[in-house]
Every structure is written in C-alpha cells, then in structure tokens.
Amino acid sequence: MCAALTVAATGCGREPSPASGTQSEAGPATAAYAGVTELPEALASDGTTITVGDPQAQTVVHLYEDPRCPVVAEFESTGAKVIRSQTVSRQVRTDYTLASFKDARLGGDGSKRAVNALRAALEAQRFTEYHAVLVESQAEVERSGGYTTERLLDLAARVPGLRSETFDTAVTTMKYADFVTASQTAYRHTGDDPLGPGTPAVTINAKMVPEQVYGNIFEEDLAADLLNTIRKNPGTWQLHRS
C-alpha cells in the first residue's frame, strides 16, 4: 500500500504521519574512484547490509529499497543520482537493506527473486551496476511478467562480466533465499512501524530522513544541499536556502 508521506512525495508501504577528489575536514583530498565499476562492495557483518564505497567516508547514507516499488525507481532516477556521485567521489558510503514486501501486495515472487539476484551480483562485485539495470527496467518488467528468473538473467547480460555459471546457478536456484528472508526481517525491524519504514527510506549517519524534508531526496539539487549541509554540520537537518 502506498500512502502520502509529504506534500512532495509518496513511498511504498508508508502510512501518513566528475571530481578528482574530496577534501575532508580532517585531511587532504582523496582521489575519487574512476566510476561505479571501481566502487568497493561488501556484505556487512550483520549479514544483511550491502555496503558500497569508501569504508572511511565521512557520511553514510543507508537506503531501504524494494526492487518492485515504483517510488524507489523514481528516487533512483532523481536524488539517488547525487548519492551515487558522492559515493564515487568518496564523500559518501552507501549502504543498502533490500526489502521484498511488495510481492505480497502485487502478487508473485519478483521482489524476492530480484533481491536474491542482487545478492548474487554482490558476489561477482557487480551489485551497483546490476542494481541500476534492475531499477531502470522496473516499469517495463512489471508490464511484462515481472522479475522472473529468465528476465533477471537477461538483464544481467547488460552488465559486463556478470553472467557466469556461478551467477546463473545462484539466480535459478534461489541460492540466497536465507539472505532474502533475513534482509526483509532487517527492513521490518527498522523504525517504529512493525511493517517497516516504507521504501525508499533513507538514513544519513544513522538518522532517518524526517518526513518534513523527505520530499527533498527526490530533487537532485535539494538532495545535494541536504548532504552537503549535514557534512558541514553533522547532526543538523536545517537546509541553507538561497
């Protein structure tokens, strides 16, 4: 169920209520990654969080996403571009918790299969690229049968170096089914709502983006303003207005 969050945007499941380097406060500039293909990717020690980018980045953005949520696709085509850019420039580390609650609402098991395939892509160090392909293809996929095994493999072929016997077997056998379940549980345990915070949900340095500025994450300029303000003044959500 999608319900209003703010005047600016809605989220799935919620109820109303290129730079050469980056200069930190603590030291000299660090060279940016050459692009998304260079980003480090790992599974965190909690067994569910997927981490992307410089482990020492000053700002940590944690995204909670269901691959079938259309608002996630909207977010990934807007404000998430800023997060990706700042992850490449080492200003941000991006963490992901992947939910799969949309299957119960839309039918089928596409979210679960997509999350399993994303976990398999992480093993191949192609999570970021495959995630982008899945989100960009979401609307088309939903109109034509959803995230089936065949469709997930076809989409993986768009990511150089991803398709392999290991990856294909993991996708077809749902190798990471336990991860899918654990990741959905971690999502549900985030925030105060027992069903989870809705997707996309975003925390910055472990603080959930509050509803009064939630719509800003769907605007590239405002998302950049929010991240830059927090970087300069950790702990504050006050935006500088021009």
Side-chain angles (χ1 to χ4, degrees):
M1 176 177 60
C2 295
L5 274 170
T6 66
V7 174
T10 60
C12 290
R14 289 290 298 269
E15 297 294 339
S17 70
S20 60
T22 175
Q23 183 76 36
S24 71
E25 297 289 336
T30 303
Y33 298 106
V36 294
T37 60
E38 300 275 327
L39 290 172
E41 302 175 348
L43 185 65
S45 59
D46 63 10
T48 58
T49 303
I50 293 172
T51 69
V52 176
D54 186 350
Q56 304 303 317
Q58 182 180 356
T59 304
V60 178
V61 177
H62 198 133
L63 306 181
Y64 298 82
E65 299 186 337
D66 186 311
R68 297 183 72 185
C69 173
V71 192
V72 166
E74 178 187 353
F75 168 64
E76 286 290 336
S77 68
T78 55
K81 290 182 178 180
V82 173
I83 298 170
R84 284 193 293 276
S85 176
Q86 294 198 12
T87 302
V88 170
S89 67
R90 295 182 187 258
Q91 294 172 294
V92 164
R93 188 186 86 221
T94 306
D95 292 351
Y96 294 84
T97 295
L98 301 175
S100 50
F101 64 88
K102 291 295 287 183
D103 287 348
R105 302 179 185 188
L106 298 176
D109 59 0
S111 285
K112 295 181 182 67
R113 290 193 174 276
V115 172
N116 174 76
L118 284 164
R119 177 66 179 85
L122 177 64
E123 289 300 302
Q125 291 292 287
R126 295 289 186 276
F127 170 85
T128 304
E129 297 149 88
Y130 190 47
H131 174 271
V133 169
L134 292 192
V135 173
E136 289 166 4
S137 306
Q138 185 200 92
E140 173 192 350
V141 167
E142 288 294 338
R143 288 193 299 267
S144 58
Y147 288 117
T148 62
T149 296
E150 181 180 7
R151 179 57 64 86
L152 289 164
L153 292 174
D154 287 345
L155 292 172
R158 301 183 188 179
V159 179
L162 179 54
R163 289 291 300 271
S164 68
E165 182 177 355
T166 299
F167 175 82
D168 290 5
T169 298
V171 173
T172 57
T173 64
M174 284 290 291
K175 176 180 178 179
Y176 297 106
D178 288 347
F179 169 83
V180 175
T181 300
S183 189
Q184 169 63 14
T185 298
Y187 159 77
R188 289 185 60 192
H189 289 169
T190 299
D192 298 327
D193 191 323
L195 296 180
T199 59
V202 181
T203 70
I204 304 176
N205 294 339
K207 177 179 174 62
M208 187 71 70
V209 173
E211 293 188 4
Q212 61 266 32
V213 295
Y214 180 82
N216 294 43
I217 69 172
F218 292 86
E219 300 286 342
E220 291 184 51
D221 289 347
L222 293 179
D225 190 15
L226 178 62
L227 286 169
N228 293 336
T229 298
I230 292 171
R231 185 176 299 109
K232 293 175 183 177
N233 303 285
T236 183
W237 291 102
Q238 182 179 357
L239 300 179
H240 296 306
R241 304 289 186 181
S242 58

